[in-house]
Short mmCIF file of all heavy atoms in Angstrom, two decimals:
data_model
loop_
_atom_site.label_atom_id
_atom_site.label_comp_id
_atom_site.label_asym_id
_atom_site.label_seq_id
_atom_site.Cartn_x
_atom_site.Cartn_y
_atom_site.Cartn_z
N PRO P 976 0.81 -1.24 0.02
CA PRO P 976 0.01 0.01 0.06
C PRO P 976 0.85 1.29 -0.03
O PRO P 976 0.29 2.30 -0.40
CB PRO P 976 -0.85 -0.11 1.24
CG PRO P 976 -0.87 -1.57 1.57
CD PRO P 976 0.47 -2.15 1.15
N ASP P 977 2.05 1.25 0.49
CA ASP P 977 2.88 2.30 0.48
C ASP P 977 3.74 2.54 -0.73
O ASP P 977 4.56 3.56 -0.86
CB ASP P 977 3.86 2.28 1.70
CG ASP P 977 3.16 2.37 3.05
OD1 ASP P 977 2.13 3.08 3.10
OD2 ASP P 977 3.51 1.65 3.95
N ASN P 978 3.72 1.58 -1.70
CA ASN P 978 4.48 1.68 -2.90
C ASN P 978 3.90 2.55 -4.01
O ASN P 978 2.70 2.69 -3.99
CB ASN P 978 4.83 0.25 -3.43
CG ASN P 978 5.73 -0.56 -2.46
OD1 ASN P 978 6.56 0.10 -1.74
ND2 ASN P 978 5.60 -1.84 -2.59
N VAL P 979 4.68 2.99 -4.85
CA VAL P 979 4.27 3.78 -6.02
C VAL P 979 4.87 3.30 -7.24
O VAL P 979 6.01 2.92 -7.26
CB VAL P 979 4.70 5.36 -5.82
CG1 VAL P 979 4.32 6.14 -7.06
CG2 VAL P 979 4.01 5.98 -4.54
N ILE P 980 4.01 3.16 -8.34
CA ILE P 980 4.62 2.56 -9.50
C ILE P 980 5.44 3.77 -10.27
O ILE P 980 4.84 4.78 -10.67
CB ILE P 980 3.49 2.19 -10.56
CG1 ILE P 980 2.59 1.15 -9.69
CG2 ILE P 980 4.02 1.53 -11.75
CD1 ILE P 980 1.40 0.71 -10.51
N ALA P 981 6.69 3.59 -10.32
CA ALA P 981 7.57 4.64 -10.85
C ALA P 981 8.07 4.21 -12.16
O ALA P 981 8.67 5.13 -12.95
CB ALA P 981 8.73 4.77 -9.94
N LYS P 982 7.91 3.08 -12.74
CA LYS P 982 8.38 2.63 -14.07
C LYS P 982 7.33 1.65 -14.58
O LYS P 982 6.65 0.96 -13.80
CB LYS P 982 9.74 2.10 -14.09
CG LYS P 982 10.02 0.75 -13.31
CD LYS P 982 11.37 0.30 -13.52
CE LYS P 982 11.61 -1.06 -12.80
NZ LYS P 982 12.87 -1.55 -13.02
N ALA P 983 7.23 1.49 -15.90
CA ALA P 983 6.38 0.52 -16.49
C ALA P 983 6.95 -0.87 -16.34
O ALA P 983 8.02 -1.13 -16.34
CB ALA P 983 6.25 0.81 -18.04
N PRO P 984 6.00 -1.82 -16.13
CA PRO P 984 6.41 -3.27 -16.09
C PRO P 984 6.77 -3.77 -17.54
O PRO P 984 6.54 -2.97 -18.50
CB PRO P 984 5.16 -3.96 -15.55
CG PRO P 984 4.07 -3.07 -16.00
CD PRO P 984 4.51 -1.74 -15.97
N ARG P 985 7.25 -4.91 -17.58
CA ARG P 985 7.29 -5.57 -18.91
C ARG P 985 5.89 -5.91 -19.29
O ARG P 985 5.11 -6.29 -18.56
CB ARG P 985 8.19 -6.88 -18.80
CG ARG P 985 9.67 -6.71 -18.63
CD ARG P 985 10.39 -7.85 -18.33
NE ARG P 985 10.19 -8.99 -19.18
CZ ARG P 985 10.80 -10.25 -19.05
NH1 ARG P 985 11.62 -10.32 -18.00
NH2 ARG P 985 10.56 -11.16 -19.91
N TRP P 986 5.61 -5.66 -20.67
CA TRP P 986 4.22 -6.00 -21.13
C TRP P 986 4.36 -7.27 -21.98
O TRP P 986 5.33 -7.43 -22.83
CB TRP P 986 3.70 -4.83 -21.93
CG TRP P 986 3.66 -3.50 -21.33
CD1 TRP P 986 4.50 -2.40 -21.60
CD2 TRP P 986 2.76 -3.12 -20.27
NE1 TRP P 986 4.17 -1.38 -20.86
CE2 TRP P 986 3.09 -1.71 -20.08
CE3 TRP P 986 1.84 -3.75 -19.56
CZ2 TRP P 986 2.47 -0.99 -19.13
CZ3 TRP P 986 1.14 -2.92 -18.58
CH2 TRP P 986 1.48 -1.65 -18.34
N LEU P 987 3.32 -8.10 -21.96
CA LEU P 987 3.10 -9.05 -22.98
C LEU P 987 1.81 -9.02 -23.51
O LEU P 987 0.85 -9.05 -22.76
CB LEU P 987 3.33 -10.66 -22.36
CG LEU P 987 3.09 -11.64 -23.51
CD1 LEU P 987 4.24 -12.65 -23.54
CD2 LEU P 987 1.83 -12.38 -23.13
N SER P 988 1.67 -8.84 -24.91
CA SER P 988 0.39 -8.90 -25.44
C SER P 988 -0.05 -10.32 -25.69
O SER P 988 0.67 -11.07 -26.38
CB SER P 988 0.36 -8.14 -26.70
OG SER P 988 -0.77 -8.44 -27.52
N THR P 989 -1.29 -10.66 -25.23
CA THR P 989 -1.86 -12.00 -25.53
C THR P 989 -3.03 -11.93 -26.52
O THR P 989 -3.88 -12.78 -26.50
CB THR P 989 -2.07 -12.78 -24.30
OG1 THR P 989 -2.43 -14.10 -24.61
CG2 THR P 989 -3.18 -12.20 -23.55
N ASP P 990 -3.09 -10.87 -27.18
CA ASP P 990 -4.23 -10.63 -28.21
C ASP P 990 -4.21 -11.81 -29.14
O ASP P 990 -5.30 -12.13 -29.61
CB ASP P 990 -3.97 -9.34 -28.97
CG ASP P 990 -4.20 -8.12 -28.03
OD1 ASP P 990 -3.19 -7.62 -27.40
OD2 ASP P 990 -5.33 -7.61 -28.02
N LEU P 991 -3.14 -12.23 -29.61
CA LEU P 991 -3.15 -13.28 -30.69
C LEU P 991 -3.38 -14.72 -30.16
O LEU P 991 -3.54 -15.60 -30.96
CB LEU P 991 -1.81 -13.24 -31.47
CG LEU P 991 -1.61 -12.00 -32.42
CD1 LEU P 991 -0.21 -11.85 -32.79
CD2 LEU P 991 -2.64 -12.15 -33.60
N ARG P 992 -3.34 -14.93 -28.87
CA ARG P 992 -3.61 -16.22 -28.23
C ARG P 992 -4.91 -16.19 -27.41
O ARG P 992 -5.98 -16.52 -27.89
CB ARG P 992 -2.36 -16.64 -27.51
CG ARG P 992 -2.46 -18.16 -27.19
CD ARG P 992 -3.27 -18.59 -25.94
NE ARG P 992 -2.74 -17.86 -24.76
CZ ARG P 992 -3.37 -17.86 -23.61
NH1 ARG P 992 -4.63 -18.44 -23.46
NH2 ARG P 992 -2.95 -17.16 -22.57
N ASP P 993 -4.75 -15.47 -26.25
CA ASP P 993 -5.97 -15.54 -25.34
C ASP P 993 -7.09 -14.61 -25.93
O ASP P 993 -8.26 -15.05 -25.90
CB ASP P 993 -5.60 -14.87 -24.02
CG ASP P 993 -6.47 -15.25 -22.85
OD1 ASP P 993 -7.53 -15.75 -23.17
OD2 ASP P 993 -6.12 -15.06 -21.63
N GLY P 994 -6.71 -13.55 -26.55
CA GLY P 994 -7.71 -12.71 -27.21
C GLY P 994 -8.33 -13.45 -28.32
O GLY P 994 -9.63 -13.39 -28.51
N ASN P 995 -7.54 -14.05 -29.23
CA ASN P 995 -8.05 -14.60 -30.41
C ASN P 995 -8.94 -15.88 -30.14
O ASN P 995 -10.02 -15.99 -30.77
CB ASN P 995 -6.90 -15.12 -31.24
CG ASN P 995 -7.35 -15.70 -32.60
OD1 ASN P 995 -8.14 -15.08 -33.25
ND2 ASN P 995 -6.90 -16.82 -33.00
N GLN P 996 -8.59 -16.60 -29.04
CA GLN P 996 -9.50 -17.78 -28.75
C GLN P 996 -10.77 -17.53 -28.19
O GLN P 996 -11.66 -18.40 -28.20
CB GLN P 996 -8.64 -18.75 -27.85
CG GLN P 996 -8.70 -18.27 -26.35
CD GLN P 996 -7.85 -19.14 -25.50
OE1 GLN P 996 -6.93 -19.74 -25.81
NE2 GLN P 996 -8.29 -19.29 -24.24
N SER P 997 -11.03 -16.19 -27.77
CA SER P 997 -12.23 -15.81 -27.21
C SER P 997 -13.22 -15.27 -28.29
O SER P 997 -14.33 -14.95 -27.95
CB SER P 997 -12.06 -14.70 -26.16
OG SER P 997 -11.60 -13.46 -26.77
N LEU P 998 -12.76 -15.11 -29.56
CA LEU P 998 -13.57 -14.44 -30.52
C LEU P 998 -14.60 -15.52 -31.19
O LEU P 998 -14.22 -16.64 -31.28
CB LEU P 998 -12.70 -13.94 -31.71
CG LEU P 998 -11.68 -12.93 -31.30
CD1 LEU P 998 -10.79 -12.50 -32.45
CD2 LEU P 998 -12.46 -11.65 -30.64
N VAL P 999 -15.80 -14.93 -31.43
CA VAL P 999 -16.76 -15.87 -32.08
C VAL P 999 -16.31 -16.31 -33.42
O VAL P 999 -16.39 -17.52 -33.82
CB VAL P 999 -18.11 -14.99 -32.33
CG1 VAL P 999 -19.15 -15.82 -33.15
CG2 VAL P 999 -18.68 -14.57 -30.97
N SER P 1000 -15.55 -15.40 -34.19
CA SER P 1000 -14.89 -15.82 -35.46
C SER P 1000 -13.42 -15.42 -35.27
O SER P 1000 -13.05 -14.29 -35.39
CB SER P 1000 -15.45 -15.00 -36.62
OG SER P 1000 -16.86 -15.26 -36.82
N PRO P 1001 -12.64 -16.53 -34.99
CA PRO P 1001 -11.26 -16.21 -34.77
C PRO P 1001 -10.63 -15.54 -35.97
O PRO P 1001 -11.13 -15.67 -37.04
CB PRO P 1001 -10.65 -17.69 -34.55
CG PRO P 1001 -11.80 -18.38 -34.03
CD PRO P 1001 -13.02 -17.83 -34.70
N MET P 1002 -9.51 -14.92 -35.69
CA MET P 1002 -8.86 -13.99 -36.74
C MET P 1002 -8.38 -14.92 -37.94
O MET P 1002 -7.88 -16.02 -37.74
CB MET P 1002 -7.64 -13.32 -36.19
CG MET P 1002 -7.95 -12.29 -35.15
SD MET P 1002 -6.43 -11.45 -34.68
CE MET P 1002 -6.80 -11.08 -32.88
N THR P 1003 -8.49 -14.37 -39.14
CA THR P 1003 -7.97 -15.00 -40.32
C THR P 1003 -6.51 -14.69 -40.35
O THR P 1003 -5.96 -13.83 -39.45
CB THR P 1003 -8.53 -14.33 -41.57
OG1 THR P 1003 -8.24 -12.93 -41.61
CG2 THR P 1003 -10.13 -14.52 -41.66
N PRO P 1004 -5.62 -15.43 -41.16
CA PRO P 1004 -4.28 -15.03 -41.09
C PRO P 1004 -3.91 -13.57 -41.45
O PRO P 1004 -3.05 -12.99 -40.87
CB PRO P 1004 -3.70 -15.99 -42.25
CG PRO P 1004 -4.64 -17.14 -42.24
CD PRO P 1004 -6.00 -16.51 -41.87
N GLU P 1005 -4.71 -12.99 -42.29
CA GLU P 1005 -4.55 -11.57 -42.66
C GLU P 1005 -4.78 -10.77 -41.38
O GLU P 1005 -4.02 -9.76 -41.12
CB GLU P 1005 -5.48 -11.11 -43.82
CG GLU P 1005 -5.12 -11.79 -45.11
CD GLU P 1005 -5.62 -13.34 -45.17
OE1 GLU P 1005 -6.46 -13.71 -44.28
OE2 GLU P 1005 -5.14 -14.01 -46.03
N ARG P 1006 -5.84 -10.93 -40.70
CA ARG P 1006 -6.18 -10.25 -39.46
C ARG P 1006 -5.18 -10.42 -38.32
O ARG P 1006 -4.70 -9.45 -37.62
CB ARG P 1006 -7.57 -10.56 -38.95
CG ARG P 1006 -8.71 -9.97 -39.86
CD ARG P 1006 -9.90 -10.70 -39.62
NE ARG P 1006 -10.47 -10.77 -38.32
CZ ARG P 1006 -11.38 -11.54 -37.83
NH1 ARG P 1006 -11.84 -12.48 -38.68
NH2 ARG P 1006 -11.83 -11.48 -36.60
N LYS P 1007 -4.58 -11.66 -38.23
CA LYS P 1007 -3.50 -11.99 -37.31
C LYS P 1007 -2.28 -11.12 -37.59
O LYS P 1007 -1.69 -10.49 -36.68
CB LYS P 1007 -3.17 -13.45 -37.28
CG LYS P 1007 -4.15 -14.27 -36.51
CD LYS P 1007 -3.71 -15.71 -36.52
CE LYS P 1007 -4.65 -16.68 -35.78
NZ LYS P 1007 -4.24 -18.02 -35.79
N LEU P 1008 -1.98 -11.06 -38.89
CA LEU P 1008 -0.75 -10.33 -39.23
C LEU P 1008 -0.93 -8.90 -39.03
O LEU P 1008 0.02 -8.19 -38.56
CB LEU P 1008 -0.43 -10.65 -40.75
CG LEU P 1008 0.87 -9.93 -41.25
CD1 LEU P 1008 1.99 -10.46 -40.43
CD2 LEU P 1008 1.14 -10.18 -42.78
N ALA P 1009 -2.12 -8.36 -39.34
CA ALA P 1009 -2.43 -6.87 -39.02
C ALA P 1009 -2.23 -6.64 -37.55
O ALA P 1009 -1.65 -5.65 -37.08
CB ALA P 1009 -3.80 -6.57 -39.56
N MET P 1010 -2.72 -7.47 -36.66
CA MET P 1010 -2.59 -7.30 -35.24
C MET P 1010 -1.13 -7.41 -34.79
O MET P 1010 -0.62 -6.48 -34.03
CB MET P 1010 -3.42 -8.37 -34.52
CG MET P 1010 -3.37 -8.25 -32.97
SD MET P 1010 -4.10 -6.70 -32.31
CE MET P 1010 -5.83 -7.26 -32.31
N PHE P 1011 -0.48 -8.42 -35.35
CA PHE P 1011 0.99 -8.55 -34.97
C PHE P 1011 1.76 -7.34 -35.33
O PHE P 1011 2.59 -6.83 -34.57
CB PHE P 1011 1.49 -9.77 -35.54
CG PHE P 1011 2.97 -10.03 -35.36
CD1 PHE P 1011 3.36 -10.60 -34.13
CD2 PHE P 1011 3.98 -9.67 -36.22
CE1 PHE P 1011 4.73 -10.78 -33.84
CE2 PHE P 1011 5.29 -9.89 -36.00
CZ PHE P 1011 5.72 -10.44 -34.74
N GLU P 1012 1.54 -6.80 -36.54
CA GLU P 1012 2.28 -5.66 -36.96
C GLU P 1012 1.99 -4.49 -36.21
O GLU P 1012 2.78 -3.56 -35.94
CB GLU P 1012 2.02 -5.48 -38.50
CG GLU P 1012 2.63 -6.50 -39.33
CD GLU P 1012 2.35 -6.24 -40.85
OE1 GLU P 1012 1.40 -5.62 -41.22
OE2 GLU P 1012 3.11 -6.94 -41.66
N LEU P 1013 0.70 -4.27 -35.74
CA LEU P 1013 0.35 -3.14 -34.89
C LEU P 1013 1.00 -3.21 -33.58
O LEU P 1013 1.58 -2.27 -33.11
CB LEU P 1013 -1.23 -3.17 -34.68
CG LEU P 1013 -1.71 -2.23 -33.68
CD1 LEU P 1013 -1.60 -0.73 -34.12
CD2 LEU P 1013 -3.15 -2.42 -33.25
N LEU P 1014 1.07 -4.45 -32.97
CA LEU P 1014 1.73 -4.62 -31.71
C LEU P 1014 3.13 -4.28 -31.83
O LEU P 1014 3.73 -3.57 -30.88
CB LEU P 1014 1.54 -6.04 -31.17
CG LEU P 1014 0.08 -6.48 -30.83
CD1 LEU P 1014 -0.02 -8.00 -30.71
CD2 LEU P 1014 -0.52 -5.72 -29.64
N VAL P 1015 3.82 -4.69 -32.82
CA VAL P 1015 5.18 -4.46 -33.05
C VAL P 1015 5.45 -2.89 -33.22
O VAL P 1015 6.31 -2.29 -32.73
CB VAL P 1015 5.77 -5.26 -34.23
CG1 VAL P 1015 7.17 -4.66 -34.67
CG2 VAL P 1015 5.84 -6.71 -33.90
N ASP P 1016 4.53 -2.32 -34.05
CA ASP P 1016 4.69 -0.97 -34.40
C ASP P 1016 4.55 0.05 -33.23
O ASP P 1016 5.34 0.92 -33.11
CB ASP P 1016 3.67 -0.59 -35.49
CG ASP P 1016 3.86 0.84 -36.01
OD1 ASP P 1016 4.99 1.17 -36.36
OD2 ASP P 1016 2.95 1.66 -36.02
N ILE P 1017 3.71 -0.30 -32.30
CA ILE P 1017 3.52 0.61 -31.13
C ILE P 1017 4.44 0.22 -30.01
O ILE P 1017 4.50 0.97 -29.05
CB ILE P 1017 2.08 0.61 -30.65
CG1 ILE P 1017 1.53 -0.73 -30.19
CG2 ILE P 1017 1.20 1.20 -31.86
CD1 ILE P 1017 0.12 -0.71 -29.65
N GLY P 1018 5.24 -0.84 -30.09
CA GLY P 1018 6.33 -0.95 -29.14
C GLY P 1018 6.28 -2.15 -28.28
O GLY P 1018 7.13 -2.22 -27.35
N TYR P 1019 5.36 -3.11 -28.46
CA TYR P 1019 5.34 -4.30 -27.58
C TYR P 1019 6.47 -5.21 -27.95
O TYR P 1019 6.73 -5.48 -29.14
CB TYR P 1019 4.11 -5.08 -27.69
CG TYR P 1019 2.96 -4.36 -26.90
CD1 TYR P 1019 2.02 -3.63 -27.61
CD2 TYR P 1019 2.93 -4.43 -25.59
CE1 TYR P 1019 1.02 -2.90 -26.93
CE2 TYR P 1019 1.89 -3.77 -24.77
CZ TYR P 1019 1.04 -3.00 -25.56
OH TYR P 1019 -0.01 -2.27 -24.85
N LYS P 1020 7.33 -5.66 -26.88
CA LYS P 1020 8.55 -6.50 -27.07
C LYS P 1020 8.31 -7.95 -26.90
O LYS P 1020 9.17 -8.80 -27.20
CB LYS P 1020 9.67 -5.92 -26.28
CG LYS P 1020 9.96 -4.45 -26.46
CD LYS P 1020 10.29 -4.08 -27.91
CE LYS P 1020 10.54 -2.61 -28.07
NZ LYS P 1020 10.70 -2.21 -29.52
N GLU P 1021 7.15 -8.28 -26.24
CA GLU P 1021 6.93 -9.66 -25.88
C GLU P 1021 5.44 -9.93 -26.43
O GLU P 1021 4.51 -9.18 -25.94
CB GLU P 1021 6.98 -9.98 -24.44
CG GLU P 1021 8.35 -9.77 -23.87
CD GLU P 1021 8.54 -10.01 -22.37
OE1 GLU P 1021 8.16 -11.25 -21.98
OE2 GLU P 1021 8.90 -9.15 -21.58
#
């Protein structure tokens, strides 16, 4: 309770796994690639 977040944690995006498996219509390869490229472009490293 006395701590303050002073730096960002490591982030892992699970949009292509946990997110994708929850979709009524899972992503096509084209949509997966678009998501992957977005994640890379905005800075996710994992």
Side-chain angles (χ1 to χ4, degrees):
D977 295 325
N978 293 335
V979 175
I980 304 175
K982 67 176 183 178
R985 288 167 54 178
W986 307 110
L987 176 130
S988 160
T989 187
D990 289 88
L991 289 165
R992 197 275 302 169
D993 201 346
N995 186 51
Q996 76 182 34
S997 69
L998 300 176
V999 176
S1000 299
M1002 298 182 207
T1003 62
E1005 293 76 18
R1006 287 157 59 198
K1007 284 184 179 179
L1008 182 58
M1010 178 68 81
F1011 180 79
E1012 290 179 340
L1013 172 69
L1014 294 167
V1015 168
D1016 185 51
I1017 62 179
Y1019 285 100
K1020 306 303 181 186
E1021 299 179 59

